[in-house]
Amino acid sequence: RYKALTEVIGVPPSQRENFVFEIVNDTIVLFGGFHEGGVLNDVYTFNTSSSTWETIKTKRSPYPMSAMASIALGNKVYITGGCDYRKNKCYSDTYVYDINKKEFSKIKLNREYQSREEFGIGFYKGIIAIFGGSKNDQECYEDMYAMNITEICPNECSGNGKCNENVGCVCDEGFYGVDCMKRVTCR
């Protein structure tokens, strides 16, 4: 059953939709989204241990956007795609947010995919794959793209597993996830 977290420290993000929400260790990373005033490119983190919101000031934030795809690998959050409805513009850029450095970097690719929003994303054996999506709700896609990020075993399996070149991280008992960072909380 859900429980409202009403006793938090710090200033929470404004209300929004179609944003990035990824959990890395005991930290939730929230980026961008749409609010009635337009699209956003702000970053907040929430420490689940201390129930504390922090507003992150970054030098190289992605464009303001919503409906992008994201995936957390190790201590990084990969963010790609998304649109700015007000400008009628979509993106195909890929950014990496490093939770330790609290900064973004843009991945330089030799080939971009067609810009889009609201698509699926997954990770396997060092490959990030995306599928489908749409562009400003006018055109739908049934294509798939893959990007090799050369991290077959992200974050060296967080010290909670062994790297297997064929399948990625093989987690120790009590841990799971592509980087073995998540702790199993039930039997």
Side-chain angles (χ1 to χ4, degrees):
R1 142 179 141 157
Y2 284 102
K3 176 185 171 188
L5 299 176
T6 55
E7 297 181 25
V8 298
I9 301 166
V11 179
S14 61
Q15 57 187 348
R16 63 190 68 206
E17 62 181 308
N18 294 330
F19 51 88
V20 164
F21 190 84
E22 292 289 348
I23 300 172
V24 179
N25 292 326
D26 63 351
T27 301
I28 296 171
V29 176
L30 184 145
F31 167 76
F34 181 80
H35 184 281
E36 57 192 42
V39 289
L40 305 165
N41 71 338
D42 50 358
V43 180
Y44 290 84
T45 58
F46 182 77
N47 184 300
T48 59
S49 300
S50 65
S51 293
T52 304
W53 280 108
E54 181 181 0
T55 304
I56 307 296
K57 302 292 183 197
T58 61
K59 294 178 185 173
R60 295 180 296 249
S61 288
Y63 304 106
M65 62 178 111
S66 68
M68 51 276 172
S70 64
I71 191 165
L73 299 171
N75 291 320
K76 297 175 182 170
V77 176
Y78 290 77
I79 300 170
T80 189
C83 292
D84 182 337
Y85 303 110
R86 303 272 167 130
K87 292 182 179 177
N88 198 28
K89 182 167 176 115
C90 292
Y91 305 100
S92 61
D93 301 315
T94 301
Y95 291 87
V96 180
Y97 178 75
D98 186 309
I99 195 164
N100 295 329
K101 296 178 182 177
K102 296 183 179 183
E103 66 183 24
F104 282 100
S105 58
K106 184 176 178 182
I107 295 179
K108 294 177 183 168
L109 301 171
N110 59 2
R111 180 178 179 203
E112 296 282 340
Y113 57 86
Q114 173 118 12
S115 58
R116 63 191 66 203
E117 63 185 331
E118 299 175 347
F119 52 97
I121 189 168
F123 175 81
Y124 183 69
K125 291 187 184 180
I127 306 258
I128 292 177
I130 65 168
F131 174 80
S134 66
K135 187 168 187 176
N136 289 328
D137 292 330
Q138 298 168 0
E139 186 175 352
C140 288
Y141 303 111
E142 59 182 10
D143 54 358
M144 187 155 96
Y145 288 87
M147 176 177 67
N148 185 339
I149 60 169
T150 65
E151 288 188 65
I152 293 173
C153 297
N155 201 28
E156 297 178 9
C157 302
S158 306
N160 301 319
K162 303 242 183 298
C163 184
N164 179 314
E165 296 294 321
N166 295 319
V167 296
C169 288
V170 177
C171 302
D172 295 338
E173 187 174 329
F175 295 93
Y176 72 101
V178 295
D179 54 5
C180 300
M181 188 176 284
K182 297 176 181 171
R183 186 177 293 278
V184 174
T185 57
C186 60
R187 293 183 187 261

